[in-house]
Amino acid sequence: MNDLPQISEAEYEVMKIVWKHAPISTNEITDQLLQTTSWSPKTIQTLIKRLVTKGALTYEKQSRVFVYTPLVEENEYIGQESNSFLKKFYDGDITAMLSAYIENDKLSATEIDTLRSLLSKKSKKGDNTRG
């Protein structure tokens, strides 16, 4: 999927539940979100309907219960959002972004070590192209 639907922050909270527990019923989604938000069940149902309309979720009716599964993969959506952030704030230059994070002490030593490890693995594969 190249053009993923635009998902609001509230809709993203619903998607996180669906990604983690799919297939999942309306009641199960609602129960999960009532534990972490102050939203009403009606609000949650509206968010679910919006996600279906946007093509982010699909559903099956099983007896009297609607069961939802995602049509958008979590890593695909996060990748799109990361690219959007990178383009918006750093003109698509990941080196500039990392430099800003490092210079402003936004990365811990552990995070820097993890990045070193990832970069080392990538360079050993001989694939240093960006997609």
Side-chain angles (χ1 to χ4, degrees), residues 45-92:
Q45 289 173 6
T46 299
L47 292 168
I48 293 168
K49 286 177 190 169
R50 283 188 199 159
L51 288 164
V52 169
T53 302
K54 290 180 175 187
L57 292 179
T58 188
Y59 65 91
E60 277 182 12
K61 191 171 183 183
Q62 297 178 358
S63 302
R64 299 176 65 188
V65 177
F66 289 92
V67 177
Y68 296 89
T69 54
L71 290 172
V72 173
E73 296 292 327
E74 184 175 17
N75 59 353
E76 217 180 345
Y77 179 74
I78 291 171
Q80 171 186 278
E81 289 301 301
S82 298
N83 286 337
S84 176
F85 173 84
L86 190 60
K87 287 176 187 166
K88 182 176 180 178
F89 293 102
Y90 297 98
D91 293 325

Side-chain angles (χ1 to χ4, degrees), residues 4 11 21-22 40 56 131:
L4 299 178
E11 292 164 345
H21 301 287
S40 73

Side-chain angles (χ1 to χ4, degrees), residues 110-124:
T110 303
E111 290 168 325
I112 292 170
D113 288 342
T114 300
L115 285 171
R116 275 194 189 109
S117 175
L118 289 169
L119 290 169
S120 175
K121 286 179 192 172
K122 188 73 170 173
S123 66
K124 285 179 184 171

